[in-house]
């Protein structure tokens, strides 16, 4: 509800934009009276591209209808009577409108909430000091566009008025011309009239004809001037339309596409298309109105030919405005949701294309079909140069045809490819020039449709961002490098898919920082010290001065083709390994500031030697991809009075999938303070795995619940249910025991006289010959009220408990529970 409260505080144009979000498809009263409920629902959890989630969308619809009905029922009094009727009617309306298409309701509400959030955020930024300048620039640009639209609207209205005057004048001219023809016919018929009468009538008719012909001559000249003036006005309007279209398509839309490309590297989301679509639709409407006016002028000219060059001028105007609308339609056929840029064969992927002017031009009245094909870099170049008119393919994509759908709630015309899969790929002959993971492809989306009753037919195409095709997960790392470099350094309007071979180090730093922050889901990115460390690694340089690297350039080969000195991996492979390790296992610790990471061994030693014994820090391994080590300062056990900095063998993803970093640090009692001086428990205690409760009540409750739910069979781990009594094996099965995993550094290990319960786990192995008749502990029957009264059981929510049960069923119970057997 907080967002709705903020949305109601919007002013001016932002308020109008917010109000325009609502209508018959979603009345604003529903948003107002159910604000808190609407904002608390998981709309974003519904994947609109997954037909399997329609049931989830249907539940949200049913819940919305129920909330409306509930709200209606509680209305009372004279003032609430009409609201009660209104809300009840809206509940029925939602049920009938969206029952067969619940995805449309979810899409509509997601669109509304995202738009409200954007408007509120823009308003907040505009009022804050930090974003004031950027918002002022944005507001000025938007104001400029809106003013131009108003100027175009007035110009179009003026030419419409002038055209009507011209039409009325021409209609009167034709009437007078017909009158002149009638007079001439009367003159011709005087030959049969007696001479005396003929002379009198002829003089009258001749005088009248002279008057009419003189008027027609003057009016013809006036009409021709009207036509030329109107054509001149249309010429000026076309100039304004071109200017406005250039501003929207070549600046605003290109900027949106650039933001979309940077979002592939982890940059901020490109933002919604609502404003752009509204501008493009206004353009389409104005262009179409002017085109219809020009065509009416042509019709008037054909209806009454007059001497002069007006026909050629109107033909030129018609051609020019047709080119303008063609450019608008073809440029606004865009990819709203890009396919994955690292594309693995035989793997399902999705994409969405959208025509920003589809609704305004009524393209959806005959919904076009969109086809997707994968093309190589060379084929893409040929397509953009118009050297290839047919779509050659470099592979086979399954489910690559989709019909564009019009969504009434949002006014969008789009095609959602939900289940595409690249079956095979045909690679070019590289002859060793580049690796497979440096070869770029693109997904070409194309369609054909007509507007104006087949008056204009358009064949539209659009190319996705570059795609690197892989066949195995081991290629993902290098493919991602190609994509990151391309996304970061591609120039607008480039020849596909040229990128510079060298860039400034500072430019690469921006790309790496963007990527790192996105993967960490944090505003805590790479510091200047971190970037100096990376520069030292990339350039094999020892300087600690950031200014020394500011004007240096780094090549693609240095980035991800040549191995680092003395290593068997590249700079990018090392950095990407760090990112993968962090995002999978250590993200919370990075966001807490617990990991310094980008520190070499010598720097770690210098930092720790000035600190008390037991001080430690976490740094990334120089020698191993995706490795992190603990360095700490302590006494040398072999030489009294000497202090040394120790480094543990690096941990990797495999290690942390077995035991977490926090638990490993907890195990090592000689680690006391996280650099510089924070007690380790203060930093890591909240991440320690809590000890498993060993009390009888908890064990019996857990095991019996799983037993009665069917998750423990009557023979699993020797557990048997007999008349409500649970028997558990008290001795190791087949003599196998398994030690608990615990972090130990031998040089710093001290005996622990009281090991925690459960240090030894049973390794369960089935044995047909072993007899356990004398090795069971017996426990009293469990009352039913300890179990779930509803009978509902969520396996996902209780997987941790399931694992604990598995452990418990393997543990020797005789010693732990012997006091309970009496």
């Amino acid at each position: 509800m907080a967002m709705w409260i903020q949305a109601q505080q919007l002013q001016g144009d932002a308020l109008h934009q917010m109000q325009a979000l609502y209508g018959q498809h979603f009345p604003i009263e529903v948003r107002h009276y159910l604000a808190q409920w609407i904002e608390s629902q998981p709309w974003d959890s519904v994947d609109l591209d997954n037909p399997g989630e329609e049931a989830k969308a249907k539940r949200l619809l049913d819940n919305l209808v129920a909330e409306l009905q509930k709200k209606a029922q509680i209305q009372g009094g004279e003032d609430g009577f009409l609201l009660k009727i209104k809300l009840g009617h809206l509940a029925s309306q939602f049920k009938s409108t969206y029952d067969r298409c619940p995805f449309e309701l979810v899409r509509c509400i997601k669109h509304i909430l995202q738009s409200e959030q954007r408007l509120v955020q823009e308003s907040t930024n505009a009022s804050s000091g930090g974003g004031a300048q950027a918002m002022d620039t944005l507001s000025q640009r938007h104001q400029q566009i809106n003013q131009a639209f108003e100027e175009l609207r007035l110009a179009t209205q003026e030419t419409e008025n002038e055209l009507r005057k011209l039409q009325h004048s021409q209609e009167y001219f034709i009437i007078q011309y017909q009158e002149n023809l009638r007079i001439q016919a009367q003159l011709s018929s005087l030959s049969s009239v007696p001479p005396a009468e003929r002379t009198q009538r002829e003089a009258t008719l001749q005088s009248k004809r002279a008057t009419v012909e003189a008027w027609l001559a003057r009016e013809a000249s006036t009409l021709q001037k009207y036509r030329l003036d109107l054509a001149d006005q249309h010429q000026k309007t076309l100039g304004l339309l071109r200017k406005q279209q250039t501003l929207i398509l070549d600046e605003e839309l290109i900027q949106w596409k650039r933001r979309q490309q940077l979002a592939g590297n982890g940059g901020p989301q490109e933002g919604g298309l609502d404003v752009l679509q509204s501008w493009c639709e206004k353009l389409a409407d104005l262009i179409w109105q002017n085109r219809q006016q020009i065509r009416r002028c042509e019709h008037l000219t054909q209806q009454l030919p007059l001497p002069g060059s007006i026909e050629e001028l109107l033909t030129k105007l018609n051609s020019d405005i047709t080119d303008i609308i063609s450019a608008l339609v073809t440029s606004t056929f865009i990819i709203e949701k890009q396919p994955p840029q690292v594309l693995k064969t035989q793997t399902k992927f999705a994409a969405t294309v959208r025509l920003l002017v589809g609704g305004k031009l009524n393209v959806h009245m005959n919904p076009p079909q969109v086809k997707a094909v994968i093309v190589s870099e060379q084929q893409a170049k040929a397509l953009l140069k118009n050297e290839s008119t047919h779509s050659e393919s470099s592979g086979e994509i399954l489910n690559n045809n989709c019909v564009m759908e019009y969504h009434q709630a949002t006014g969008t015309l789009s095609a959602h490819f939900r289940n595409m899969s690249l079956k095979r790929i045909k690679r070019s002959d590289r002859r060793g020039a580049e690796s497979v993971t440096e070869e770029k492809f693109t997904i070409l989306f194309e369609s054909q449709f007509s507007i104006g009753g087949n008056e204009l037919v358009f064949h539209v195409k659009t190319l996705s961002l570059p795609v690197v095709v892989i066949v195995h997960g081991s290629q993902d790392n290098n493919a991602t490098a190609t994509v990151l470099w391309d996304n970061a350094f591609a120039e607008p309007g480039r020849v596909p898919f040229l990128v510079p071979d060298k860039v400034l180090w500072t430019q690469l730093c921006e790309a790496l920082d963007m990527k790192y922050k996105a993967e960490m889901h944090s505003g805590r990115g790479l510091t200047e010290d971190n970037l100096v460390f990376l520069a030292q690694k990339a350039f094999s340089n020892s300087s600690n001065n950031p200014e020394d690297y500011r004007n240096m350039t780094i090549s693609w080969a240095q980035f991800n083709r040549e191995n680092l000195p003395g290593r068997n991996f590249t700079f990018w492979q090392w950095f990407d390994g760090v990112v993968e390790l962090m995002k999978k296992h250590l993200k919370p610790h990075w966001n807490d500031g617990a990991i310094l990471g980008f520190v070499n061994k010598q720097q770690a030693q210098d930092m720790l030697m000035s600190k008390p014994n037991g001080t430690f820090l976490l740094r990334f391994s120089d020698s191993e991809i995706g490795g992190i080590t603990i360095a700490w300062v302590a006494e040398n056990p072999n030489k009294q009075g000497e202090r040394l900095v120790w480094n543990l063998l690096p941990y990797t993803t495999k290690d942390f999938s077995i035991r977490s970093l926090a638990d490993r640090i907890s195990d090592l009692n000689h680690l006391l303070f996280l650099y510089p001086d924070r007690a380790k428990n203060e930093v890591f205690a909240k991440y320690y795995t809590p000890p498993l409760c060993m009390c009888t009540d908890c064990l019996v409750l857990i095991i019996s619940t799983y037993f009665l739910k069917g998750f423990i069979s009557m023979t699993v781990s020797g557990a048997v249910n007999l008349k409500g009594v649970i028997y558990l094996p008290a001795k190791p099965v087949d003599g196998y025991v398994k030690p608990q995993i615990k972090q130990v550094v031998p040089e710093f290990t001290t005996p622990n006289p009281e090991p925690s319960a459960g240090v030894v786990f049973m390794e369960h192995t089935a044995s047909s010959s072993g007899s356990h008749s004398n090795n069971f502990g017996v426990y009293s029957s469990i009352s039913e009220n300890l179990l779930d009264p509803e009978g509902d059981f969520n396996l996902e929510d209780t997987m941790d408990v399931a694992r604990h049960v598995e452990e418990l069923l393997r543990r020797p119970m005789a010693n732990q529970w012997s006091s309970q057997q009496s």
Side-chain angles (χ1 to χ4, degrees):
M1 189 171 181
M3 189 194 301
W4 180 239
I5 293 173
Q6 291 176 296
Q8 294 177 76
Q9 309 304 316
L10 294 171
Q11 302 291 328
D13 186 54
L15 179 61
H16 293 310
Q17 289 186 49
M18 187 272 286
Q19 292 172 337
L21 297 171
Y22 299 95
Q24 290 298 319
H25 60 282
F26 198 89
I28 197 169
E29 295 92 337
V30 177
R31 178 69 176 100
H32 182 73
Y33 288 107
L34 298 186
Q36 185 173 356
W37 183 88
I38 289 173
E39 292 179 27
S40 66
Q41 300 307 301
W43 307 106
D44 288 333
S45 69
V46 180
D47 183 0
L48 299 176
D49 294 330
N50 184 0
E53 298 208 347
E54 184 173 359
K56 189 187 294 185
K58 183 67 164 57
R59 283 196 299 272
L60 286 169
L61 167 63
D62 292 341
N63 292 341
L64 174 63
V65 171
E67 287 294 319
L68 280 171
Q69 292 171 338
K70 187 188 303 180
K71 196 75 175 178
Q73 290 171 1
I74 63 174
Q75 302 302 317
E78 184 178 347
D79 295 336
F81 176 72
L82 292 178
L83 181 59
K84 181 176 183 176
I85 295 176
K86 175 72 173 179
L87 294 177
H89 171 72
L90 290 174
S92 302
Q93 178 181 319
F94 271 91
K95 185 70 174 174
S96 61
T97 302
Y98 295 110
D99 195 51
R100 294 186 178 180
C101 52
F103 275 147
E104 287 304 303
L105 173 70
V106 177
R107 181 179 283 109
C108 170
I109 295 179
K110 287 174 70 172
H111 167 72
I112 286 173
L113 294 178
Q114 289 168 2
S115 300
E116 282 182 1
Q117 187 175 24
R118 174 181 57 80
L119 291 170
V120 169
Q121 186 64 48
E122 289 177 358
S123 177
T124 303
N125 291 340
S127 61
S128 64
Q133 185 175 357
M135 285 306 299
D136 284 346
T137 304
L138 181 65
S139 299
Q140 288 174 6
R141 195 166 68 246
H142 285 199
Q143 186 176 5
Q144 177 186 355
I145 291 173
N146 290 332
Q147 287 175 347
F149 271 125
E150 181 61 19
E151 186 178 351
L152 279 165
R153 186 189 67 80
L154 293 174
T156 302
Q157 185 61 51
E158 184 176 350
T159 51
E160 176 65 27
N161 294 337
E162 292 299 319
L163 178 58
R164 288 176 181 173
K165 290 179 183 178
L166 173 62
Q167 184 175 351
H168 293 157
S169 298
Q170 182 167 313
E171 288 172 353
Y172 188 67
F173 180 91
I174 291 173
I175 291 172
Q176 293 302 315
Y177 182 76
Q178 293 296 326
E179 176 64 17
N180 188 48
L181 292 177
R182 189 180 65 80
I183 292 172
Q184 289 182 5
Q186 288 178 341
L187 284 171
S188 299
S189 65
L190 289 178
S191 58
S192 60
V193 177
E197 183 181 350
R198 180 174 62 217
T199 302
Q200 182 181 359
R201 291 181 61 185
E202 185 176 18
T204 303
L205 289 173
Q206 290 284 8
S207 174
K208 190 173 182 180
R209 185 179 70 173
T211 302
V212 171
E213 287 181 344
W215 182 89
L216 288 173
R218 291 193 307 271
E219 191 63 18
S221 177
T222 301
L223 284 175
Q224 190 71 324
K225 185 177 183 303
Y226 279 172
R227 290 176 177 179
L228 290 171
D229 288 346
L230 187 56
D232 185 57
Q233 285 180 273
H234 276 127
Q235 191 73 52
K236 291 178 181 178
T237 303
L238 261 61
L240 292 175
L241 286 169
R242 283 196 191 94
K243 182 179 178 181
Q244 184 79 328
Q245 185 157 298
T246 299
L247 184 61
I248 292 171
L249 299 184
D250 295 350
E251 293 187 28
E252 296 295 327
L253 184 56
I254 292 297
Q255 287 181 21
W256 182 88
K257 290 182 177 180
R258 180 59 182 153
R259 290 194 299 272
Q260 185 186 56
Q261 189 170 26
L262 288 176
N265 280 1
Q269 291 301 307
E270 61 271 19
L273 285 166
D274 297 340
V275 174
L276 267 172
Q277 176 164 315
S278 69
W279 288 341
C280 292
E281 287 181 337
K282 286 180 182 178
L283 261 177
D285 191 33
L286 288 165
I287 294 170
W288 192 255
Q289 286 183 47
N290 280 273
R291 186 174 185 276
Q292 294 302 100
Q293 289 179 14
I294 292 170
R295 287 179 59 80
R296 284 159 59 194
C297 286
E298 286 184 310
H299 179 70
L300 290 175
T301 302
Q302 294 166 2
Q303 195 177 43
L304 180 63
L306 294 172
S309 59
I310 188 65
E311 289 85 355
E312 293 81 0
L313 184 56
L314 288 174
T315 300
K316 177 68 166 57
L317 285 173
N318 195 353
S319 175
D320 288 347
I321 201 163
T322 300
D323 289 343
I324 292 175
I325 197 168
S326 295
L328 177 65
V329 172
T330 55
S331 298
T332 54
F333 182 65
I334 63 171
I335 303 173
E336 182 177 9
K337 178 184 177 182
Q338 290 281 343
Q341 288 187 263
V342 177
L343 187 57
K344 189 170 180 288
T345 55
Q346 311 296 331
T347 303
K348 189 177 79 168
F349 68 96
T352 301
V353 294
R354 180 167 164 182
L355 183 62
L356 297 180
V357 296
K360 181 59 66 174
L361 297 178
N362 293 322
V363 176
H364 59 283
M365 300 303 289
N366 186 17
Q369 187 175 74
V370 184
K371 181 181 179 181
V373 295
I374 188 165
V375 298
S376 67
E377 187 172 330
Q378 291 302 320
Q379 290 167 336
K381 289 177 183 176
L383 282 168
L384 292 186
K385 290 180 181 178
N386 292 320
E387 294 175 359
S388 175
T389 55
H390 63 285
S391 304
E392 297 180 8
S393 174
S394 288
E396 181 181 353
I397 299 178
L398 303 179
N399 303 315
N400 66 329
N401 287 284
C402 185
V403 176
M404 300 195 85
E405 301 174 356
Y406 183 68
H407 307 288
Q408 186 72 40
T410 56
T412 60
L413 181 70
S414 55
H416 300 275
F417 292 85
R418 296 180 173 89
N419 296 294
M420 287 191 291
S421 176
L422 182 59
K423 184 178 179 181
R424 61 178 181 84
I425 190 69
K426 178 183 177 183
R427 299 190 183 276
S428 61
D429 184 9
R430 298 177 302 281
R431 299 188 185 278
E434 62 181 15
S435 68
V436 167
T437 55
E438 292 181 33
E439 186 178 8
K440 300 172 188 174
F441 296 87
T442 180
I443 308 295
L444 167 68
F445 296 92
E446 54 185 340
S447 182
Q448 182 171 307
F449 52 86
S450 62
I451 61 175
N454 294 325
E455 187 179 326
L456 293 176
V457 178
F458 296 100
H459 186 197
V460 293
K461 300 180 180 182
T462 187
L463 296 174
S464 75
L465 293 173
V467 168
V468 178
V469 177
I470 64 174
V471 296
H472 192 274
S474 61
Q475 299 172 313
D476 183 81
N477 177 286
N478 292 324
T480 302
T482 301
V483 167
L484 181 137
W485 189 276
D486 192 280
N487 286 345
F489 310 123
E491 294 291 335
R494 63 173 172 170
V495 176
F497 289 106
L498 294 182
V499 284
D501 183 62
K502 289 185 176 182
V503 297
L504 286 172
W505 169 249
T506 51
Q507 292 177 284
L508 182 60
C509 287
E510 291 178 9
L512 295 178
D513 181 56
M514 182 183 294
K515 180 74 172 177
Y516 196 83
K517 283 193 288 191
E519 297 293 356
M520 296 302 107
H521 296 99
S522 168
R524 181 176 178 243
L526 302 176
T527 66
E528 190 172 79
D529 289 341
N530 298 156
L531 296 173
V532 167
F533 171 88
L534 293 173
Q536 292 172 339
K537 184 174 289 292
F539 298 113
S540 300
N541 197 314
S542 59
S543 173
N544 289 319
N545 185 0
E547 293 299 322
D548 292 343
Y549 305 103
R550 193 168 301 280
N551 296 319
M552 293 182 69
T553 59
I554 183 169
S555 67
W556 165 254
Q558 288 172 292
F559 180 66
N560 194 47
R561 192 176 280 174
E562 300 169 353
N563 288 340
L564 293 172
R567 306 297 183 199
N568 62 351
F569 48 79
T570 67
F571 171 82
W572 163 256
Q573 288 167 349
W574 181 89
F575 181 81
D576 188 57
V578 165
V579 171
E580 285 297 306
L581 174 73
M582 295 296 291
K583 74 177 184 181
K584 287 181 179 177
H585 300 287
L586 307 179
K587 190 187 303 181
H589 303 304
W590 172 265
N591 294 334
D592 287 348
I595 297 177
L596 290 179
F598 301 96
V599 177
N600 62 40
K601 186 177 288 187
Q602 184 59 51
Q603 289 172 327
Q605 180 163 327
D606 295 342
M607 295 164 68
L608 290 170
M609 286 302 290
S610 63
K611 297 298 177 182
N613 289 342
T615 303
F616 67 99
L617 59 79
L618 296 151
R619 68 175 189 85
F620 301 130
S621 170
D622 285 317
S623 59
E624 186 165 357
I625 293 179
I628 190 169
T629 185
I630 300 175
W632 76 97
V633 62
E635 295 291 337
N636 184 352
N638 300 319
K639 190 173 181 180
Q640 189 173 5
E642 183 180 43
R643 302 171 75 237
L644 295 176
V645 172
W646 304 74
N647 291 273
L648 276 183
L649 192 69
Y651 300 124
T652 63
T653 291
K654 182 178 179 181
D655 298 308
F656 292 133
S657 64
I658 298 171
R659 189 160 175 80
S660 71
L661 173 66
D663 286 342
R664 291 175 184 271
I665 290 175
S666 174
D667 292 340
L668 301 176
N669 295 327
H670 58 277
L671 301 182
L672 304 176
F673 305 103
L674 178 67
Y675 183 89
D677 55 7
R678 300 166 68 188
K680 77 171 183 182
N681 286 341
E682 173 191 326
V683 181
F684 294 101
K686 60 184 176 182
Y687 301 111
Y688 295 161
T689 301
L692 186 66
C693 180
M694 298 297 295
C695 71
T696 303
D697 288 344
C698 290
L699 293 174
V700 171
L701 175 60
I702 292 171
I703 295 171
S704 58
T705 299
Y706 273 79
F707 186 89
L708 295 182
K709 293 297 181 182
F711 291 101
I712 300 176
S713 68
M714 295 184 67
T715 58
V716 169
S717 300
V720 182
N721 181 280
L722 181 60
K723 296 183 180 180
V725 179
I726 292 183
Y727 302 87
L728 297 171
K731 290 186 178 181
V733 180
D734 290 347
Y736 291 107
V737 294
K738 179 180 178 181
Q740 182 184 35
I741 296 172
K742 189 170 183 179
Q743 187 72 43
V744 175
V745 179
E747 291 86 345
F748 296 88
T749 301
T750 56
N752 187 352
E754 296 182 1
S756 59
V759 170
V760 178
F761 288 72
M762 289 304 305
E763 178 73 32
H764 170 64
T765 308
S767 174
S768 59
S769 60
S771 174
H772 308 295
S773 59
N774 297 322
N775 295 325
F776 292 105
V778 184
Y779 303 93
S780 57
S781 180
I782 305 161
S783 61
E784 287 298 325
N785 59 3
L786 290 175
L787 304 179
D788 177 14
E790 298 296 330
D792 294 331
F793 194 77
N794 190 327
L795 182 58
E796 293 181 2
D797 292 343
T798 54
M799 282 304 296
D800 286 340
V801 180
R803 284 189 286 269
H804 291 164
V805 170
E806 186 179 0
E807 288 181 2
L808 292 172
L809 292 175
R810 294 175 178 175
R811 297 185 182 183
M813 297 298 174
N815 294 335
Q816 297 176 24
W817 290 1
S818 57
S819 61
Q820 302 291 331
Q821 297 180 17
S822 56

